Amino acid sequence: MQAAIAASKGERIGPYRLLELIGEGGMGRVHRAEHLATGRFCALKTVKQMSPERSLALRMEIAALRAVDHAGVVRIEDEGIHNGLPWYAMELLRGQTLAAYHRDLGSAGPESSSGSSFSPTTDPISGVQPISRILSSTALAKKVADVPTLGLYRALCEPLAHIHGRGMVHRDLKPANVFVRHDGTPVLMDFGLIGYARGAVGREILDAGDRVLGSIHYIAPERIEGRLVDARADLYSLGCMLYEAVTGRPPFVGAPREVLAQHVAACPVPPSEFVSGLPPDVEDLILALLAKAPRARIGHASDVAERLGRALGHAEIARPSHAAPLYRPELSGREDILASLDDFVQQARGGRGAMILLGGESGIGKTFLCSEFAFRAGRNGFRVITGECIGLSAPIAGSRDVSSGPLHPLRRFLQAVADICHERGSDDRQRILGDAAAYLAPYEPCLSVFAEPTTEVRAASLPGPARSEVVLAVLTETLRQFAVDAPVLLILDDLQWSDDLTLQFLSGLDRTFFIGLPLVIVGTFRADEASPSLERLAKSEACASFSLRSLDESALAKMVGDMLAIDRPPEHLVRFLTRESRGNPFFTAEYLRYL
């Protein structure tokens, strides 16, 4: 059973009234909506139909948009929960999508298009004409050389460089996900497949891996092959879009499987074979973006902007103020620990679950290792759920009393429970959640829709200590029932900042709890900031503990080569980084960024 969010004209979602459907894609619906108190109009997005994947994608999109403030990225204005499911309001854009702009090449440009406030995010491929019916070569080549075309793509590189500099990868870059305002400026939107690849610079963000591939005509080979990606995957997609802009078709066409196979193994036909008069430097740029191997590809959006600027005849190109991203390295120096983690996954498949703690100093690569492990587990059929502890207050007088709110690290797990309960029938909902919703809803509001009023009254009447005991008991049983149906990997990052209730919950999971469950729980913590209770948990029989050490020079050389996209980094540079960073991956990346 799948429940769709009720989203009919005139309905209220939060403080908004829905007016009309203006966009619909595979994951969500977008309505024009009016704020009832202010009369302000916006575009309001909800999940199209209830499923855990769609709900997770929308939550990830909300988190990404909240973290970005750039004129070239659609602005989020509000968010909330309706009937237990997420929604958000964004600015109401005026103009047309880049997909519509492509269709207008050779006819009406964006300034003469009727346009709408939001175009449906359908794949434009079905509207692509055969080569024999594409615009005449002369007209198209002239259009390509015009500022409105190359200038638009050059402008698109700025918000791309911005999100890449923040460690984000869009992962679904295509013409339908770029909006062109009436003044010709592009805006990135639809971040439902957002990923993170910080190249160990800054704070690595745990990601549960690919949820869906996205649009096949613009997808990078490394995504098809199931590898972790960085900014270069978006630039491959940008190359596909440029190819379509100048030829009237994407680089590879055919049945879906044929298109995917061509992305991986086939060389694109040079655009000049479809159009005459195409400037050679534009063709060279497009083909460089479409290189199969990420290392052979142009690696930074600012470099693409510079080359497009030269094609437009601009002698000097302003470089972006933000730092260009370092490339995401392959895992190095942790192969033995990763192999052990993989063994735990295989044992969990047979009903022997486990709890694992990874300790080490700050920046040693605990979260990076977990990202790789999560990706591998996801490919092996595990449902991956991540959570992190957040320090909400600074230490006082040298103390280490820094913690997040109660059960905050488990909010994504509780959201996943709510998503499953929306999707399943009443019998499964009762088995998984039972009366727990009334006790857990204060920690995750999306569960409130399942809480019985009488149970809520009973829960509210319990004194504090008794309520905590019940919360721990129902949370434990909910986790058990959730993991019965399918393998689950739960990763909790930065447990040194964990709240007491979360630590009590984890400490209560002894070895007998995991018997018969395809469940693996992995927690990370900074060893020098661990509380006594966390240290006791790490040393208990219930846990398998690993300590991450500094990387040696050979492992750092591999990491540096990956981050700089060179096979053999200079030996003197590697020696310097090894000495100055003392083998710490984060410090190594900081030195590289500075250099």
Side-chain angles (χ1 to χ4, degrees):
M1 177 181 128
Q2 285 190 328
I5 283 188
S8 56
K9 183 177 180 180
E11 182 171 357
R12 287 189 58 173
I13 291 183
Y16 299 90
R17 178 168 59 93
L18 302 186
L19 301 178
E20 59 184 331
L21 181 69
I22 54 175
E24 184 170 1
M27 303 291 281
R29 287 195 177 108
V30 179
H31 284 78
R32 190 167 70 93
E34 179 185 17
H35 193 281
L36 292 171
T38 65
R40 177 175 48 84
F41 295 105
C42 70
L44 191 144
K45 186 171 184 177
T46 64
V47 292
K48 181 177 182 180
Q49 193 173 31
M50 181 51 223
S51 76
E53 292 76 16
R54 291 186 177 97
S55 191
L56 173 62
L58 194 61
R59 290 190 182 102
M60 295 287 285
E61 183 173 9
I62 290 170
L65 292 177
R66 282 291 190 197
V68 176
D69 182 15
H70 191 279
V73 177
V74 66
R75 185 180 69 254
I76 186 170
E77 298 181 344
D78 201 356
E79 63 172 295
I81 297 171
H82 178 71
N83 290 340
L85 300 174
W87 59 266
Y88 76 88
M90 58 184 151
E91 61 178 312
L92 189 64
L93 299 171
R94 302 286 180 177
Q96 62 179 353
T97 65
L98 186 56
Y101 181 82
H102 277 183
R103 289 193 293 269
D104 287 343
L105 277 177
S107 54
E111 66 279 2
S112 58
S113 170
S114 57
S116 63
S117 59
F118 194 99
S119 296
T121 55
T122 52
D123 194 319
I125 301 305
S126 59
V128 172
Q129 297 178 337
I131 293 299
S132 60
R133 295 177 58 196
I134 288 178
L135 300 167
S136 69
S137 296
T138 303
L140 188 56
K142 180 180 183 299
K143 201 71 174 176
V144 168
D146 283 346
V147 171
T149 303
L150 291 188
L152 190 155
Y153 274 91
R154 183 187 172 217
L156 179 59
C157 290
E158 171 59 27
L160 267 181
H162 182 82
I163 67 168
H164 291 164
R166 297 182 63 87
M168 297 178 176
V169 187
H170 190 282
R171 294 203 300 195
D172 195 22
L173 188 61
K174 60 181 180 179
N177 285 343
V178 176
F179 207 86
V180 183
R181 300 181 191 270
H182 282 313
D183 63 2
T185 58
V187 180
L188 279 173
M189 58 184 187
D190 199 339
F191 282 66
L193 297 185
I194 187 71
Y196 296 89
R198 296 194 168 190
V201 177
R203 188 69 178 91
E204 179 74 11
I205 296 178
L206 273 173
D207 180 25
D210 290 353
R211 292 166 289 282
V212 295
L213 278 178
S215 299
I216 63 171
H217 291 88
Y218 310 95
I219 187 170
E222 56 266 35
R223 289 207 65 215
I224 299 170
E225 295 172 333
R227 291 181 277 146
L228 288 168
V229 300
D230 57 24
R232 292 170 291 188
D234 282 348
L235 297 184
Y236 181 92
S237 301
L238 185 67
C240 293
M241 294 161 60
L242 269 169
Y243 190 105
E244 182 179 359
V246 304
T247 67
R249 50 159 279 176
F252 304 114
V253 294
R257 288 188 178 181
E258 294 174 349
V259 173
L260 294 176
Q262 290 176 85
H263 278 302
V264 171
C267 294
V269 176
S272 58
E273 294 196 17
F274 295 137
V275 293
S276 61
L278 182 66
D281 51 351
V282 174
E283 177 166 270
D284 291 344
L285 170 62
I286 293 172
L287 295 178
L289 289 169
L290 295 179
K292 303 300 181 188
R295 281 196 176 193
R297 206 174 295 154
I298 295 176
H300 300 296
S302 56
D303 294 330
V304 179
E306 186 171 357
R307 292 180 64 167
L308 285 173
R310 286 202 299 266
L312 288 167
H314 299 303
E316 295 184 1
I317 306 299
R319 304 292 289 184
S321 57
H322 41 73
L326 295 170
Y327 301 122
R328 184 179 195 133
E330 297 291 329
L331 191 72
S332 180
R334 312 293 188 203
E335 291 80 3
D336 55 342
I337 298 180
L338 184 60
S340 297
L341 295 176
D342 287 340
D343 287 341
F344 280 108
V345 161
Q346 295 307 317
Q347 293 173 26
R349 280 189 173 279
R352 289 185 295 163
M355 179 159 51
I356 306 160
L357 289 184
L358 301 175
E361 68 180 29
S362 176
I364 204 65
K366 303 177 294 294
T367 309
F368 193 83
L369 173 61
C370 281
S371 294
E372 177 71 26
F373 178 49
F375 187 79
R376 292 159 69 103
R379 293 183 63 189
N380 280 295
F382 272 67
R383 180 180 177 88
V384 180
I385 303 171
T386 65
E388 63 177 332
C389 307
I390 302 173
L392 298 182
S393 60
I396 299 175
S399 73
R400 294 181 295 183
D401 185 18
V402 182
S403 65
S404 53
L407 297 187
H408 177 85
L410 295 168
R411 283 197 64 187
R412 284 192 181 176
F413 163 67
L414 297 176
Q415 291 168 356
V417 170
D419 293 343
I420 287 291
C421 289
H422 275 292
E423 187 182 39
R424 303 287 182 84
S426 58
D427 290 343
D428 274 344
R429 287 200 297 270
Q430 181 61 32
R431 175 182 62 81
I432 296 172
L433 202 53
D435 292 333
Y439 298 94
L440 299 178
Y443 306 99
E444 176 42 59
C446 68
L447 288 171
S448 60
V449 69
F450 301 110
E452 294 291 339
T454 54
T455 311
E456 286 183 303
V457 172
R458 187 165 63 250
S461 66
L462 288 174
R467 188 184 304 119
S468 295
E469 288 184 13
V470 176
V471 166
L472 293 175
V474 298
L475 181 59
T476 300
E477 184 58 23
T478 299
L479 176 60
R480 184 197 312 276
Q481 295 300 329
F482 182 83
V484 164
D485 292 341
V488 174
L489 171 61
L490 175 61
I491 301 180
L492 304 177
D493 204 20
D494 280 331
L495 285 176
Q496 76 277 356
W497 290 328
S498 176
D499 60 284
D500 290 340
L501 198 58
T502 298
L503 279 183
Q504 289 178 45
F505 167 68
L506 294 175
S507 299
L509 303 178
D510 57 21
R511 283 189 173 182
T512 61
F513 172 80
F514 292 91
I515 296 176
L517 283 182
L519 169 67
V520 176
I521 299 176
V522 177
T524 74
F525 67 98
R526 297 180 184 178
D528 58 335
E529 298 183 33
S531 65
S533 57
L534 179 56
E535 289 178 343
R536 286 193 297 270
L537 176 62
K539 296 175 181 178
S540 70
E541 293 184 355
C543 282
S545 296
F546 296 88
S547 180
L548 273 64
R549 306 299 181 187
S550 300
L551 297 180
D552 60 24
E553 187 171 309
S554 63
L556 271 185
K558 175 67 167 59
M559 172 185 160
V560 171
D562 287 344
M563 296 176 76
L564 298 179
I566 55 178
D567 292 326
R568 293 175 59 88
E571 292 183 5
H572 67 277
L573 174 62
V574 174
R575 285 196 301 271
F576 167 81
L577 293 172
T578 304
R579 182 180 68 252
E580 296 299 323
S581 73
R582 299 181 181 179
N584 184 295
F586 172 75
F587 295 149
T588 300
E590 286 293 287
Y591 275 114
L592 282 179
R593 182 172 65 171
Y594 176 78
L595 292 173

